[in-house]
Amino acid sequence: MADIYKNYINGEWVDSSSGETFENRNPANHDEVVGIFPKSTQEDADRAIAAAKEAQAKWRLVPAPERGKIMRKVGDLMVQRKEELARLMTREMGKVINETRGDVQEGIDTAYYAEGESRRLFAEAAPSELPNKWAFTTRLPIGVAGIITPWNFPVAIPTWKMFPAITCGNAVVFKPATDTPACGGKLVEIMTEAGVPKGVVNIVYGSGRTVGMRLVEHPDVRAISFTGSSDIGKIINAKGGQQLKRISLELGGKNAQLVMDDANLELALDGVLWGAFGTTGQRCTATSRLLLHKDIHDKFVEMLVERVNKLKLGNGLDESVEVGPLVNEAQQKTIDEYCSIGKEEGAEMVCGGKIPDDPELAKGWFYKPTVFINVKRTMRIFQEEIFGPVLSISKINSFEEGVEHLNDSVYGLSSSIYTQDINNAFRAIRDFQAGITYVNGPTIGAECHFPFGGVKETGNGHREGGWTVYDFFTEWKTIYVDFSGKLQRAQIDNY
Ligand code: UN1
């Protein structure tokens, strides 16, 4: 029997005002319904926003370290329920159990980090230019934040956004992806159990078009944090921008790993297998381009194909499985289309490229891990985000050409170089156009206490993670205190 979920608005679990619902199914076995969820309306979103606004007026007055203690409790409860959450996540979106455990752990780390930051919301002070006058700054919450999240990290990404938002004294309305609503619901349940007051966290299930857009358009939502595609991000930025909202966008990627002729090839191989086929390639940080120096190209391709062909596909609850299904049928179709496009464009497919014929996998949205070689910069499979287990390989003649290839993208999230040459490693750090560069590590594996985000069309300049996201969720206020007892005019009386 599928579990029935409800919205959480103003401290109560409620159905949608429409009475309508939607279901989600296990992508490894589409006969299995994971849960049934309210299909919410604009009115439901409005009620949640009103509740958040009211609750925030009190929440902002709670000392930040007190808010932080609740975050610690959230982390403790997540530790207790880690396995339960991980198993639910694998059933809901398909990635293998070790990865879903990692996803929950990233949320736990984010909770404990939030507790620490609650005592470190540092602000600065500097001398006033006038005598008997002090000047300093402080940081205040923004108000109500709309949290719109994707399905590929159904616990970690919502925690990156909600925990700092709430720790800073904001209230949130959370709209999880329709492919992973159950994980979002469990997370909110934990937050309420840990003591996040009613109205400070609300969850409203439903489509991006109805619920998500209402958050973006409602004047009482002053901040939006969104992770998803660049196309939707641009719409959110344009709509929310009309009201001059603060908007943090974490969007697409077309991340590359450059392997130089002096690299440790075994290490680079482990890296690219994990980077390209972990999470079935469904990460914004996934390695989707591999740039191989000409002197190691043929050998590396041979080593890679041998390993890719051995990757075990299946239901992610089986601990021996390495690659789970895609999240849904549409995604499977997209991947298949890109494989046809790659072939038509003249790239050479050296493995994969089809839906597996294994009858055991017939009820899931599986796709064989795919590798293309001879991929040219003008090809769509070089340029476009595919979000699946497809790796495009290009041969490069030099480090400089590698940098040029790597930077030839509208995106700039993550990047990686494998080399033993310290000079090239540092040149890469300086010259790769990306928010994240790994040296001798794959393009995935960001840690929650560091800034996370990218350049170009990957975002709009904000960073999640680390201390930087605390800046996003606070307003700076400058305070001048004049104790001279007379009018002192800045820029005038001292000159
Ligand atoms: C994402 O790709 O959507 O660095 C987030 C990583 C993870 C987070 C990825 N810690 O791959």
Side-chain angles (χ1 to χ4, degrees):
M1 258 291 279
D3 289 331
I4 295 180
Y5 288 75
K6 290 175 187 259
N7 287 334
Y8 185 71
I9 299 175
N10 205 19
E12 283 173 26
W13 296 96
V14 291
D15 290 322
S16 161
S17 55
S18 72
E20 285 181 58
T21 57
F22 67 95
E23 59 174 34
N24 81 339
R25 286 172 184 258
N26 183 340
N29 171 15
H30 34 65
D31 284 348
E32 181 189 340
V33 179
V34 176
I36 296 176
F37 306 85
K39 191 175 188 179
S40 307
T41 60
Q42 192 170 306
E43 196 187 319
D44 297 321
D46 285 358
R47 283 188 41 235
I49 295 164
K53 190 179 177 188
E54 195 186 325
Q56 199 268 332
K58 292 201 191 106
W59 183 240
R60 73 187 178 96
L61 302 175
V62 174
E66 291 298 314
R67 299 180 205 132
K69 282 185 197 158
I70 297 178
M71 286 297 129
R72 177 173 53 192
K73 187 84 195 292
V74 170
D76 291 346
L77 290 175
M78 288 177 79
V79 169
Q80 282 171 24
R81 293 176 64 177
K82 179 172 171 179
E83 191 61 21
E84 174 207 336
L85 285 168
R87 297 184 83 79
L88 176 66
M89 195 187 302
T90 295
R91 281 175 59 219
E92 185 168 54
M93 60 72 72
K95 68 184 171 184
V96 301
I97 187 74
N98 249 337
E99 290 189 39
T100 54
R101 287 180 188 128
D103 189 313
V104 179
Q105 187 58 45
E106 202 160 333
I108 294 166
D109 295 343
T110 302
Y112 291 143
Y113 182 77
E115 189 202 5
E117 282 300 293
S118 73
R119 290 183 182 269
R120 292 168 32 91
L121 285 174
F122 293 140
E124 290 174 61
S128 163
E129 66 184 40
L130 290 158
N132 297 316
K133 187 177 171 189
W134 275 9
F136 58 96
T137 61
T138 190
R139 286 159 62 191
L140 299 170
I142 298 173
V144 177
I147 308 291
I148 307 171
T149 57
W151 45 262
N152 64 338
F153 279 80
V155 168
I157 291 181
T159 70
W160 290 0
K161 300 175 188 301
M162 288 200 282
F163 293 179
I166 289 174
T167 303
C168 290
N170 303 286
V172 302
V173 179
F174 168 34
K175 191 211 88 68
T178 44
D179 278 309
T180 50
C183 286
K186 292 288 169 203
L187 180 61
V188 170
E189 193 182 290
I190 287 171
M191 290 165 75
T192 60
E193 208 179 311
V196 176
K198 73 170 193 171
V200 174
V201 60
N202 304 274
I203 185 167
V204 183
Y205 295 105
S207 71
R209 206 173 286 265
T210 306
V211 179
M213 264 309 146
R214 187 61 186 158
L215 295 176
V216 174
E217 286 173 348
H218 196 298
D220 286 340
V221 177
R222 293 310 308 164
I224 293 284
S225 182
F226 169 76
T227 297
S229 73
S230 293
D231 286 347
I232 303 289
K234 286 176 190 174
I235 296 170
I236 290 176
N237 209 30
K239 285 249 183 253
Q242 282 170 1
Q243 292 175 34
L244 304 176
K245 293 188 185 196
R246 186 172 302 194
I247 299 171
S248 174
L249 301 170
E250 204 53 68
L251 310 172
K254 188 71 188 174
N255 316 290
Q257 173 178 318
L258 170 57
V259 184
M260 292 301 296
D261 50 347
D262 56 22
N264 174 336
L265 295 189
E266 289 294 340
L267 191 67
L269 183 59
D270 285 340
V272 73
L273 281 163
W274 175 225
F277 304 112
T279 326
T280 322
Q282 301 169 112
R283 297 192 186 213
C284 17
T285 53
T287 310
S288 58
R289 296 178 296 156
L290 178 65
L291 311 172
L292 296 177
H293 190 277
K294 63 176 177 13
D295 293 347
I296 51 101
H297 177 277
D298 294 356
K299 181 174 174 205
F300 196 86
V301 170
E302 194 183 315
M303 288 161 72
L304 175 68
V305 171
E306 196 193 322
R307 290 277 296 275
V308 174
N309 281 329
K310 285 195 193 133
L311 288 172
K312 184 174 173 192
L313 271 61
N315 185 323
L317 289 178
D318 173 346
E319 306 262 357
S320 69
V321 163
E322 293 164 290
V323 181
L326 294 159
V327 72
N328 57 34
E329 188 177 12
Q331 203 70 8
Q332 189 193 45
K333 226 178 178 170
T334 305
I335 306 311
D336 203 39
E337 273 163 25
Y338 269 110
C339 286
S340 306
I341 291 168
K343 281 191 277 187
E344 279 159 28
E345 285 179 314
E348 186 185 333
M349 187 186 277
V350 288
C351 61
K354 58 176 189 206
I355 294 167
D357 38 31
D358 181 347
E360 285 204 8
L361 304 178
K363 287 193 170 175
W365 309 120
F366 291 94
Y367 205 84
K368 275 189 172 284
T370 303
V371 178
F372 280 103
I373 59 171
N374 294 330
V375 177
K376 302 283 174 275
R377 286 160 68 169
T378 48
M379 292 181 184
R380 286 181 61 191
I381 58 166
F382 185 95
Q383 293 291 346
E384 294 175 21
E385 182 174 47
I386 298 177
F387 227 67
V390 180
L391 180 67
S392 298
I393 302 183
S394 309
K395 195 192 280 186
I396 48 111
N397 293 304
S398 63
F399 172 78
E400 288 72 21
E401 203 180 295
V403 175
E404 251 177 60
H405 273 66
L406 187 137
N407 289 341
D408 185 3
S409 172
V410 294
Y411 303 111
L413 180 54
S414 188
S415 56
S416 149
I417 181 168
Y418 280 78
T419 182
Q420 308 281 354
D421 180 333
I422 190 161
N423 297 334
N424 279 342
F426 273 88
R427 284 189 193 108
I429 292 167
R430 186 192 58 195
D431 296 339
F432 284 2
Q433 294 167 356
I436 306 169
T437 293
Y438 291 91
V439 176
N440 293 326
T443 60
I444 67 178
E447 301 176 26
C448 82
H449 57 298
F450 280 95
F452 181 90
V455 302
K456 299 194 267 187
E457 290 196 14
T458 290
N460 60 345
H462 290 293
R463 291 289 180 271
E464 305 210 79
W467 57 96
T468 39
V469 69
Y470 288 79
D471 202 35
F472 176 77
F473 281 114
T474 47
E475 292 281 11
W476 286 88
K477 174 172 276 196
T478 305
I479 303 108
Y480 298 98
V481 181
D482 191 323
F483 49 97
S484 70
K486 59 179 193 234
L487 173 68
Q488 299 198 87
R489 295 170 301 176
Q491 296 93 37
I492 293 169
D493 288 341
N494 258 359
Y495 299 92

